Amino acid sequence: MVREWGRLRWSLFPEHFTGSGNEDAEANQYEDWNTGLYQPTRCSLAVTGDMRDEGGSKCDVDPLEKVKEDDCVFIPYSSDQDANASLLFGSHCVDSAANLHNYHCRRWSAWEVMESTEDFFEENFADPNLMDTEPSFTILQQPVRRVVLALDFSSSMGASFRVDKLIQSASIFIRHYIPAGSHLGIVTFDDSATVNADLTLVQDDDSSREDLVNALPTAPYGSSCIGCGIEAALSVLGNNTNGSYILVLSDGEENRSPFIRDTIPAAVADGVVIDTIAVTNDADEQMENLTSITGGKPFFCPDEGSSACLTEAFLSTVSERPELNFIPSHIQVFLQ
């Protein structure tokens, strides 16, 4: 915990080999200037182990020569070894080791880096009452799933049974895919946007799910204002938006302002992730740009065929974010 807090609070870097990063900044071993022997890069010399390759085989090591295999890493003999060296005092920091900490921190020890911060200025260190040590946290991901469906019901969605497929797929998503305990809202858009359902707690009983299904409209109408739908979805999410997401489904033929590009600054500022499902080859490329900028997932479904593609896309927006809450395993049967 101390090591991880050191990275978060004082910008310390790993002192062991992580197997990634700038080759000039990190090496799997170093030459001990005092002994002239090569040592594997690790946090403390008190931790013993072997150099092994990716397959787990022991590397052929000569302490007088550098290991030639680049994929060899230090593997401790066991995870319960004791080491007297402390991160806080940097007694184990080896100046010659080519690790990320030495590379980024001018070869200062961890303790030297920490001492250079305001936390350890003499006046603050002498009297902790002069500092406000109460931590503050920003929620980057909601502990509960909060999602708004922004669905295109413009006239162009009437072609090739797009609306029928949309309603069928959205209904399956609501009834079977989105886990209980989630909060779901529905927005539809044509010339303008309509909030069909505010954020609703989805429960194990069928009533909350059926109420949301019944909130879906049945007929397409008017022009396509995708930006209107996004703005309305952001409004439904309210102020606490970090980690929430919007699923925008449209044929992408926006012809009315505000346009997608007009909504991006607000979505980014609110920390909202936006997934998109484009249902025609004519879908505006800004649909995909929207996902790229907000960290969402783009999906494409052609007009041909059944609603299976849309159904799978709806499922993916849930199943690829399992860390939010439990995803029932039986939902896979609906894709067969």
Side-chain angles (χ1 to χ4, degrees):
M1 186 183 72
V2 172
R3 181 171 64 175
E4 296 305 319
W5 177 250
R7 296 180 189 179
L8 174 66
R9 179 65 180 175
W10 299 297
S11 300
L12 304 181
F13 287 87
E15 296 183 72
H16 62 283
F17 179 69
T18 64
S20 62
N22 189 324
E23 292 181 359
D24 296 330
E26 188 179 20
N28 60 1
Q29 58 198 305
Y30 68 96
E31 183 179 7
D32 189 323
W33 291 349
N34 294 319
T35 65
L37 303 178
Y38 280 93
Q39 291 281 355
T41 301
R42 58 194 189 275
C43 292
S44 171
L45 295 179
V47 178
T48 58
D50 289 324
M51 294 285 282
R52 295 184 177 272
D53 59 24
E54 292 179 346
S57 299
K58 189 174 179 179
C59 298
D60 187 14
V61 176
D62 183 340
L64 296 176
E65 296 183 7
K66 187 176 181 179
V67 175
K68 296 180 175 58
E69 293 91 338
D70 293 334
D71 64 345
C72 288
V73 297
F74 178 77
I75 305 297
Y77 287 138
S78 66
S79 60
D80 58 354
Q81 298 184 56
D82 294 327
N84 294 326
S86 167
L87 171 80
L88 293 180
F89 295 97
S91 59
H92 65 290
C93 182
V94 182
D95 181 74
S96 61
N99 56 43
L100 291 179
H101 181 82
N102 281 338
Y103 181 80
H104 290 290
C105 300
R106 294 186 286 180
R107 298 191 177 274
W108 289 3
S109 69
W111 180 242
E112 288 174 314
V113 173
M114 293 158 54
E115 276 191 313
S116 68
T117 68
E118 293 184 0
D119 290 348
F120 292 89
F121 284 179
E122 184 176 349
E123 60 271 19
N124 293 336
F125 193 66
D127 185 359
N129 293 323
L130 296 177
M131 292 178 60
D132 179 10
T133 58
E134 182 176 354
S136 60
F137 300 91
T138 300
I139 298 175
L140 297 180
Q141 179 173 298
Q142 294 289 341
V144 176
R145 189 183 304 272
R146 299 171 77 247
V147 57
V148 177
L149 304 181
L151 307 176
D152 189 345
F153 273 81
S154 63
S155 296
S156 60
M157 288 291 292
S160 302
F161 303 102
R162 295 172 196 165
V163 164
D164 296 330
K165 297 173 186 177
L166 185 163
I167 294 174
Q168 182 181 11
S169 301
S171 299
I172 292 174
F173 173 81
I174 295 169
R175 289 187 175 119
H176 306 292
Y177 287 2
I178 189 163
S182 306
H183 289 80
L184 177 66
I186 299 174
V187 167
T188 57
F189 57 90
D190 40 57
D191 290 343
S192 58
T194 301
V195 177
N196 301 76
D198 286 310
L199 282 178
T200 302
L201 175 61
V202 178
Q203 303 184 63
D204 286 326
D205 62 86
D206 293 333
S207 61
S208 59
R209 297 181 186 270
E210 287 306 312
D211 289 343
L212 288 165
V213 170
N214 292 333
L216 295 170
T218 58
Y221 168 83
S223 302
S224 180
C225 181
I226 301 177
C228 294
I230 296 172
E231 287 184 346
L234 289 171
S235 177
V236 169
L237 287 173
N239 296 324
N240 192 13
T241 55
N242 272 331
S244 302
Y245 68 97
I246 297 170
L247 173 58
V248 178
L249 186 150
S250 174
D251 57 15
E253 298 178 4
E254 58 176 348
N255 46 33
R256 196 176 186 89
S257 64
F259 298 104
I260 293 174
R261 62 177 178 270
D262 301 322
T263 66
I264 291 176
V268 172
D270 288 347
V272 176
V273 175
I274 301 181
D275 295 342
T276 60
I277 303 176
V279 295
T280 71
N281 289 315
D282 297 326
D284 195 300
E285 64 180 12
Q286 290 194 68
M287 291 274 285
E288 186 168 348
N289 292 342
L290 186 61
T291 62
S292 176
I293 293 172
T294 63
K297 306 175 188 300
F299 301 93
F300 169 74
C301 290
D303 278 337
E304 298 80 8
S306 66
S307 61
C309 179
L310 288 182
T311 303
E312 186 169 358
F314 270 101
L315 169 61
S316 296
T317 66
V318 177
S319 62
E320 294 184 20
R321 294 187 176 93
E323 69 281 357
L324 291 177
N325 40 29
F326 175 70
I327 309 299
S329 59
H330 68 268
I331 59 179
Q332 296 290 347
V333 300
F334 295 101
L335 296 182
Q336 298 177 356

